[in-house]
Amino acid sequence: MAVGRLRAIGAALALLALVAVQPSTASAAAPAPRNGELVADGAWCWFQDPRAIHYVGAHDRTYVGYVTSTGDIDVVSLDNGTAALTHTTLHPKFQADDHAAPGLEVLPDGRIAVFYSKHGGAQMYYRISVHPEDISTFGPEKTVDGRNSPGGKGFTYANPIYLPAEHRTYLFFRSGDNRPAVMWSSDANLAHWSDAQDIAVPDGAGSFARPYAKYATNGTDSILIAFTDGHPRDVKTNSIYALIYRGGVLHSVDGRSLATLGPRQPGNPLPAAPVHTKSLAKAYDGAGTGGKAWVHSVAFGQDGHPVIAFASFPRSAPADTDHRYHYTRWTGSAWTDNEFVAAGGSIVSTGSEPDYSGGLTLDPNDPSTLYTSREAGKAWRIQRWHTPDGGVHFDAPVDLTPDSPVKNVRPIVPWGPPGDVQALWMSGRYDHWKGNFLTQIRALTTGPAPTTTRISLSTPGVTPGQPLTVSGRVVQGYQGTVVAHGRLSLWSHIANQPYREVSTVTADATGLVQWTVRQSADTRYQVRFTRAAPWGASVSPSPAVGMMAKTAIRLSVDHATVVAGRPVVVGIRLVAATSGAGIVNVPVQLWQSVNGRTWAPRATVRTGSGGLTHVTTHPGVSVSYQARFAGSATLARSSCPPHRVGVVAA
């Protein structure tokens, strides 16, 4: 992941309009960021990173991974500047669980790698884009070939990090024994992986119940790891610790070398990982007056020292309804901890997860800026904060979702250099992690608001002069809410000719436009939405409408009246309507009706020489027959008038 020095500039389902969150005094060079819909259905937990990456290569794009409410593993890219969107589903119906959300990596050649596992899944999966900086096509789904840690708990939480200094990808996750662990691969195509190696173990039996870890990198040679004793539900004095990986060695934040990744090397006095927590000073002591904690975000400060943002749960609060947000920084000699704001209660409405805060995240390139989700009435609002002095004091927060009536939770800042997208978050209904959520992903961006233009056709093929209805609609983001009254253009394209504009029409209140056209050659169509503030432009796909030859189908019977049960030979012939030439080797159908009203298929047969075929029937009552041809990509459908056969008693 060529991220350089990490940087990201820092929602209601019913909120259709973009909401300005900065005063209109911003200059043209620094436009006011706005809050808008990016994806209609997407979610994540907060232990996969990076969930979004801003990467500048041949293109300038932000890539975002998420899991849908139906369990699809999806990724979307947003072109910064134009707001063009590209979307791919990597694994449909994988697992309806926010723990299954993917982690992303940009490989050194610009290809996008996406890692994902089920919640305690047996495998860690990944797919790599076929082309650099392009998520429209991916290679096959693969699994890491290294062995997981023993314990049977599977893989959870993908956290891929590429270190350019080592030309190596590190994949962090929760392992088979529920501890933070890592695998690594030095292959350009990630074809082979080391076995898993646990990073940390408890000081004392039973004190380490499902530790939760967060990761960050300086984009060159170091990885920061902050982790807890366990789940705050399980460990009543849940504390936070930190390690720094560099050059094959795990270090304490004060620089002591503690353990190596990989096997112990001959002549090296350091043991192989994992590191015991007794070797580490606590970044936060959960046995203190502030109560237990849960880590949410980590970053290297501009001075190179670790910064940790987390939630604590004071013991005085009933059922953990009083969450507090902390900013903790290593000064170079000690940890300084500052509780800076109350966060409200849990976002989980079922009561089963009382420690699920709205969430907070550090800007990974400048952790003096951070974003929080805090409870306000029945909603949770996103706020941006800034500290001028390392967390001792904070400026008044900027409310980014002041009027949203729903939960706006789990903000993130994309990894990578500065770009249009400052922050992203989930917005909508969130009841529980196990698929009981329906949230948009919204973006705070200084760029145009992304749109998707859709096109549909009344038929895949037409005959000369036959009317064709082309429908177009523009929506916010990917599969989002409609953009009303936008100006949409229909464009057509015939082989060896450029696209030409057919007409431009204003959409109705549902964002819909319809055109009626007639064509005389195979034609492709596009619907285009022209960029108009605050919207970005978008173009629909280009489906082809082929020209079909008109056909005629004919029916004959060898007897107009027969005795009940006697055979009747029904002849069918399909011909080209203009020339009368027979059409061979295509399926035609014989339909029948015994009451003149209800028709049912009687037989399907293929035409032979001259377009002829026949069906032998034995009617017991008077019956009407009709021949039908359903059509094909090049031949128009046709049918003949009914032909009645009378039946008399013997």
Side-chain angles (χ1 to χ4, degrees), residues 44 62 91 108 194 226 239 251 264 339 384 396 438 459 463-464 586 608:
W44 46 55
T62 300
H91 193 131
S194 72
S239 298
H251 303 269
R264 183 171 183 171
E339 177 192 307
R384 183 174 58 225
L438 182 57
T459 178
T463 56
V586 294

Side-chain angles (χ1 to χ4, degrees), residues 105-129:
E105 175 185 13
V106 180
L107 298 177
D109 63 2
R111 289 177 299 156
I112 313 302
V114 185
F115 296 81
Y116 47 96
S117 74
K118 291 184 177 180
H119 189 174
Q123 302 287 347
M124 176 67 75
Y125 299 91
Y126 65 101
R127 294 183 67 179
I128 302 174
S129 66

Side-chain angles (χ1 to χ4, degrees), residues 345-414:
S346 173
I347 64 174
V348 174
S349 60
T350 62
S352 60
E353 296 286 357
D355 306 306
Y356 271 35
S357 307
L360 69 164
T361 189
L362 298 162
D363 180 322
N365 196 50
D366 179 11
S368 66
T369 297
L370 66 160
Y371 295 81
T372 66
S373 169
R374 298 171 59 213
E375 187 175 13
K378 294 184 178 180
W380 275 255
R381 294 179 180 176
I382 303 296
Q383 294 180 318
R384 183 174 58 225
W385 298 75
H386 179 263
T387 173
D389 51 14
V392 178
H393 301 93
F394 283 83
D395 299 334
V398 176
D399 202 342
L400 305 179
T401 57
D403 302 318
S404 175
V406 300
K407 296 175 182 176
N408 298 278
V409 299
R410 294 181 179 166
I412 62 171
V413 176

Side-chain angles (χ1 to χ4, degrees), residues 331-602:
T331 65
S333 59
W335 288 103
T336 63
D337 174 51
N338 292 281
E339 177 192 307
F340 67 95
V341 72
S346 173
I347 64 174
V348 174
S349 60
T350 62
S352 60
E353 296 286 357
D355 306 306
Y356 271 35
S357 307
L360 69 164
T361 189
L362 298 162
D363 180 322
N365 196 50
D366 179 11
S368 66
T369 297
L370 66 160
Y371 295 81
T372 66
S373 169
R374 298 171 59 213
E375 187 175 13
K378 294 184 178 180
W380 275 255
R381 294 179 180 176
I382 303 296
Q383 294 180 318
R384 183 174 58 225
W385 298 75
H386 179 263
T387 173
D389 51 14
V392 178
H393 301 93
F394 283 83
D395 299 334
V398 176
D399 202 342
L400 305 179
T401 57
D403 302 318
S404 175
V406 300
K407 296 175 182 176
N408 298 278
V409 299
R410 294 181 179 166
I412 62 171
V413 176
W415 292 23
D420 288 347
V421 178
Q422 298 183 349
L424 302 127
W425 61 88
M426 297 159 48
S427 178
R429 177 182 62 82
Y430 188 93
D431 297 324
H432 194 264
W433 52 262
K434 198 172 183 179
N436 296 331
F437 51 79
L438 182 57
T439 53
Q440 299 175 353
I441 292 176
R442 297 185 73 83
L444 181 70
T445 177
T446 57
T451 62
T452 301
T453 304
R454 302 173 180 172
I455 188 172
S456 61
L457 308 170
S458 59
T459 178
V462 293
T463 56
Q466 178 185 349
L468 169 71
T469 299
V470 182
S471 299
R473 176 173 271 134
V474 63
V475 300
Q476 299 182 34
Y478 175 68
Q479 292 186 336
T481 47
V482 298
V483 176
H485 309 302
R487 296 282 288 174
L488 278 77
S489 301
L490 177 65
W491 292 70
S492 65
H493 167 66
I494 299 173
N496 301 317
Q497 296 183 20
Y499 272 95
R500 67 177 184 87
E501 184 177 359
V502 177
S503 71
T504 299
V505 183
T506 299
D508 62 18
T510 69
L512 180 66
V513 168
Q514 290 187 322
W515 293 268
T516 299
V517 296
R518 289 174 171 83
Q519 64 186 54
S520 57
D522 292 353
T523 305
R524 289 186 175 274
Y525 293 97
Q526 285 183 342
V527 175
R528 302 180 183 180
F529 179 60
T530 304
R531 179 172 176 177
W535 305 105
S538 55
V539 180
S540 71
S542 302
V545 179
M547 298 302 300
M548 299 186 299
K550 291 184 177 180
T551 64
I553 194 165
R554 300 163 184 169
L555 182 147
S556 63
V557 295
D558 62 349
H559 297 290
T561 304
V562 295
V563 174
R566 296 291 178 88
V568 174
V569 178
V570 182
I572 301 172
R573 188 178 187 218
L574 182 68
V575 300
T578 53
S579 66
I583 300 172
V584 302
N585 197 32
V586 294
V588 293
Q589 291 181 319
L590 176 65
W591 288 65
Q592 69 179 28
S593 170
V594 296
N595 56 19
R597 296 187 301 274
T598 303
W599 289 88
R602 176 68 174 77

Side-chain angles (χ1 to χ4, degrees), residues 198-212:
D198 286 351
I199 295 168
V201 294
D203 178 20
S207 65
F208 222 82
R210 284 191 301 163
Y212 286 78

Side-chain angles (χ1 to χ4, degrees), residues 231-249:
H231 193 299
R233 183 176 55 219
D234 303 327
V235 182
K236 302 306 180 185
T237 58
N238 214 35
S239 298
I240 298 175
Y241 310 84
L243 290 166
I244 295 175
Y245 168 77
R246 185 184 301 111
V249 177

